[in-house]
Amino acid sequence: MSPTAGKVSGPVGAGPLCILAASVLWGTTGTAATFAPQVGPLAVGAAAMGVGGLLQGLVAAPRIRREAHRLRAQRGRVLLGALAVGLYPLAFYSSMHLAGVAAGSVVSIGSAPIASAVIERLVEGRRFTRRWTTGAVLGVSGTVLLTLAQAARTHPGEGSRSAGDAVLGLSLALVAGVSYALYSWTARRLLKGGTTPPATMGALFGLGGVLLLPLLVIVGDPLVESWPNAAVGTYMALVPMFLGYTLFGRGLAHVPASTATTLSLLEPAVAAVLAVLVVGERLSPPGWGGITLLLGALAVFTAPPRRSTDAHTVAVPDPVTPDRLPPPAQAPREPANLGHTKTDHLPVDGFPRRGREAGT
């Protein structure tokens, strides 16, 4: 029997809580990036994931050396995950730059659970449970509603983003969502293959950081032109990326990738609220309705499973069958040589005589 997608086996535990904590930290990245407007999205992405990934790789270097044989045995997955790690921040921050912090982050993270579940279905044969489907429908509905709310206010001449920028930004957000799902799945597979969370995340993000370094050298000059810009880059690398993905790796050790990416729907909700409260973006009532649906999806996935009280589910003793009956009690044997019954034929030497001589 194949496993089920997004199966939640119990109440909220350490794994889901780690994912939720990481999502809150990730939700601050879009707002933090607005404090360095001179820094382009490619530079922000390369600095955040590049420096943060290298830091993860350095901290986990002893574990990576000890588990190098396991990582080499799965080198294809390591390389695939590292490529996804390198692509994700470039698409993610570009989508927020073009479509807005709220819309870019919501579509990026909102599309990841569907992509992750499709990957698990195609590769692992994992089935879609009713609970996962309910949560996914709520999450996708919230994502679509919030996206439409953002697109409805892109009117030329009002200082808002053009429709072309919004479409390109949302397309890049979908690329980011697939990349996020892909490296989450590869990390989960490495963990199931026997590598520890520090070695897994250190290898994927360390190699991803190496891939981003050339781009950081090319476009990263604005990060060192002022202290505010440098502070934003440092915060992005240390808090959302290094600390956030450390928590994410610990969470992936306990939940499937499809569940982890769905729990990450908290990130766009946090990002949208911060975009309104801090950046000054505006959300219409449909936009707030989309956030409510996203929170509803989180409630579905984090609520403890309902215990059935149906009488048909009450455990009953196994029926007693003949092959399970205890052996019948045997009657006690009669003591030998009581009276003179059928023992008179026994000779002194104890061996019976044959035929009539035995008296039988």
Side-chain angles (χ1 to χ4, degrees):
M1 183 176 180
S2 61
T4 52
K7 182 178 180 180
V8 181
S9 58
V12 180
L17 286 178
C18 286
I19 301 292
L20 293 174
S23 300
V24 172
L25 296 180
W26 296 337
T28 66
T29 56
T31 299
T34 62
F35 287 94
Q38 302 86 2
V39 183
L42 296 182
V44 171
M49 194 70 86
V51 177
L54 286 177
L55 184 58
Q56 274 204 333
L58 291 174
V59 171
R63 290 290 189 94
I64 293 175
R65 283 196 297 268
R66 286 199 296 267
E67 301 175 33
H69 61 289
R70 293 194 182 98
L71 294 171
R72 282 195 297 267
Q74 303 184 75
R75 62 176 65 89
R77 288 173 182 160
V78 173
L79 181 58
L80 179 62
L83 290 173
V85 166
L87 177 61
Y88 171 76
L90 306 181
F92 178 65
Y93 290 104
S94 296
S95 72
M96 289 193 295
H97 178 73
L98 294 171
V101 173
S105 59
V106 165
V107 176
S108 296
I109 307 304
S111 61
I114 303 300
S116 182
V118 170
I119 292 172
E120 290 180 347
R121 174 63 176 169
L122 295 177
V123 180
E124 303 176 15
R126 192 179 292 271
R127 295 185 300 176
F128 302 146
T129 64
R130 182 179 302 176
R131 182 175 185 177
W132 182 89
T133 303
T134 301
V137 169
L138 289 173
V140 173
S141 299
T143 299
V144 171
L145 192 58
L146 184 53
T147 301
L148 293 177
Q150 290 293 103
R153 64 185 187 87
T154 56
H155 301 293
E158 295 183 4
S160 57
R161 298 171 179 83
S162 68
D165 286 345
V167 171
L168 179 58
L170 295 178
S171 300
L172 289 173
L174 292 176
V175 174
V178 174
S179 302
Y180 175 34
L182 193 57
Y183 73 68
S184 299
W185 177 79
T186 54
R188 173 69 175 173
R189 295 299 299 177
L190 290 173
L191 290 168
K192 292 180 68 175
T195 58
T196 61
T200 298
M201 305 306 285
L204 291 182
F205 285 82
L207 184 55
V210 171
L211 296 177
L212 288 170
L213 278 183
L215 180 62
L216 181 59
V217 172
I218 295 172
V219 300
D221 287 343
L223 286 166
V224 296
E225 289 179 353
S226 67
W227 283 109
N229 292 353
V232 168
T234 302
Y235 170 80
M236 302 275 273
L238 294 181
V239 181
M241 296 303 139
F242 175 70
L243 180 57
Y245 280 101
T246 299
L247 292 169
F248 185 70
R250 293 183 181 275
L252 272 178
H254 301 282
V255 298
S258 56
T259 299
T261 52
T262 307
L263 291 171
S264 300
L265 288 173
L266 181 61
E267 175 188 347
V270 172
V273 172
L274 289 178
V276 172
L277 297 179
V278 180
V279 181
E281 292 187 1
R282 290 179 298 172
L283 280 179
S284 62
W288 287 109
I291 291 179
T292 302
L293 289 176
L294 288 173
L295 295 177
L298 288 175
V300 170
F301 280 97
T302 57
R306 184 176 58 184
R307 295 182 180 274
S308 176
T309 57
D310 190 353
H312 294 289
T313 63
V314 177
V316 296
D318 292 335
V320 177
T321 54
D323 59 327
R324 299 188 62 183
L325 286 172
Q330 297 180 355
R333 295 182 180 180
E334 295 182 359
N337 297 328
L338 292 178
H340 299 280
T341 59
K342 289 192 178 182
T343 57
D344 297 337
H345 66 281
L346 291 176
V348 177
D349 58 6
F351 290 96
R353 298 186 182 90
R354 294 182 180 180
R356 295 185 181 272
E357 294 180 355
T360 57

Short mmCIF file of all heavy atoms in Angstrom, two decimals, residues 20 85 200 236 240:
data_model
loop_
_atom_site.label_atom_id
_atom_site.label_comp_id
_atom_site.label_asym_id
_atom_site.label_seq_id
_atom_site.Cartn_x
_atom_site.Cartn_y
_atom_site.Cartn_z
N LEU A 20 6.87 25.96 10.76
CA LEU A 20 6.12 27.19 10.96
C LEU A 20 7.03 28.33 11.42
O LEU A 20 6.87 29.48 10.99
CB LEU A 20 5.00 26.96 11.98
CG LEU A 20 3.87 26.03 11.53
CD1 LEU A 20 2.90 25.77 12.68
CD2 LEU A 20 3.14 26.60 10.33
N VAL A 85 18.17 25.27 -5.26
CA VAL A 85 18.50 26.28 -4.24
C VAL A 85 19.02 27.55 -4.90
O VAL A 85 18.66 28.66 -4.50
CB VAL A 85 19.52 25.71 -3.25
CG1 VAL A 85 20.13 26.83 -2.40
CG2 VAL A 85 18.87 24.67 -2.33
N THR A 200 22.64 17.34 5.38
CA THR A 200 21.79 17.51 4.20
C THR A 200 21.66 18.97 3.81
O THR A 200 21.92 19.35 2.66
CB THR A 200 20.39 16.92 4.48
OG1 THR A 200 20.52 15.52 4.74
CG2 THR A 200 19.48 17.14 3.29
N MET A 236 19.40 39.28 5.97
CA MET A 236 18.81 38.26 5.08
C MET A 236 19.62 36.98 5.12
O MET A 236 19.07 35.88 5.10
CB MET A 236 18.76 38.81 3.66
CG MET A 236 17.97 40.08 3.53
SD MET A 236 16.22 39.81 3.34
CE MET A 236 16.12 39.62 1.59
N PRO A 240 16.68 34.89 8.04
CA PRO A 240 15.76 34.06 7.25
C PRO A 240 16.43 32.87 6.58
O PRO A 240 15.85 31.79 6.51
CB PRO A 240 15.19 35.04 6.22
CG PRO A 240 15.51 36.40 6.72
CD PRO A 240 16.78 36.24 7.50
#
